[in-house]
Amino acid sequence: MLTLMRDVPASGMDFMTYEWLKNILTPEGKSVNDLSAARILFAGGLAGIFNWAVAIPPDVLKSHFQTAPPGKYPSGFRDVLRELIREEGVASL
């Protein structure tokens, strides 16, 4: 479940940002298919940054949950979230 909470929004952000940037970088009157490799790489790289900006907080929760001793978090990721924010603050995400 935690992997889906990370991957679904992050992948959505990745594809949405990539397509949006390709459209922004396409010169007026040209097709997206005419974009140079450099512009496509730029769009993909920036989309990857946005992907991880969305993916890192749930990934932190998932990692803490997976590495905890069995039974430490009986309510799952909610317990992990509460503990992380209480002990380390929101910046821990």
Side-chain angles (χ1 to χ4, degrees), residues 10-90:
S11 294
M13 177 61 77
D14 191 6
F15 288 113
M16 179 184 70
T17 305
Y18 178 63
E19 292 299 324
W20 176 71
L21 285 169
K22 285 194 319 181
N23 285 326
I24 294 289
L25 295 170
T26 302
E28 188 74 32
K30 296 274 187 168
S31 167
V32 173
N33 296 330
D34 298 330
L35 282 177
S36 67
R39 287 182 184 222
I40 291 172
L41 287 170
F42 176 76
L46 207 52
I49 291 170
F50 279 86
N51 172 314
W52 279 106
V54 170
I56 286 175
D59 193 57
V60 169
L61 293 174
K62 181 179 80 68
S63 296
H64 276 76
F65 183 75
Q66 288 177 331
T67 59
K72 181 173 181 177
Y73 299 116
S75 294
F77 76 93
R78 288 184 198 106
D79 286 346
V80 179
L81 180 62
R82 275 187 228 120
E83 181 180 290
L84 271 175
I85 290 176
R86 183 179 65 244
E87 292 182 5
E88 300 178 36
V90 176

